Amino acid sequence: MPTLNPDVSACIGAGICTNTAPSVFDLDTNGLVLLKTETVDPADVAAVDSAIAICPAQALRWANRD
Ligand code: SF4
């Protein structure tokens, strides 16, 4: 299953990922990205690809996309 390795230290809390893939991303109490799931459902891979592409901090990356 696909997994993510976000760089929380780079996140600026823009919240774009939570709007683009709301079943995968949330914001923690500090407003920084938080994964809602250990593995990404294959149905959400395209939305996560979009979030990775548009994250203004380039904080999102796949650990494993297979
Ligand atoms: S889109 Fe990027 S900067 Fe914005 S909350 Fe998500 S990971 Fe952080």
Side-chain angles (χ1 to χ4, degrees):
M1 290 284 273
T3 55
L4 286 159
N5 181 26
D7 181 359
V8 179
S9 68
C11 174
I12 58 171
I16 294 168
C17 55
T18 60
N19 290 328
T20 306
S23 59
V24 177
F25 301 109
D26 201 353
L27 299 180
D28 67 14
T29 54
N30 294 316
L32 301 178
V33 68
L34 181 71
L35 296 180
K36 295 174 82 170
T37 175
E38 289 277 320
T39 58
V40 175
D41 189 294
D44 292 324
V45 166
V48 170
D49 276 339
S50 294
I52 290 171
I54 61 178
C55 170
Q58 300 178 334
L60 302 175
R61 63 179 69 99
W62 290 108
N64 167 29
R65 201 175 175 283
D66 296 326

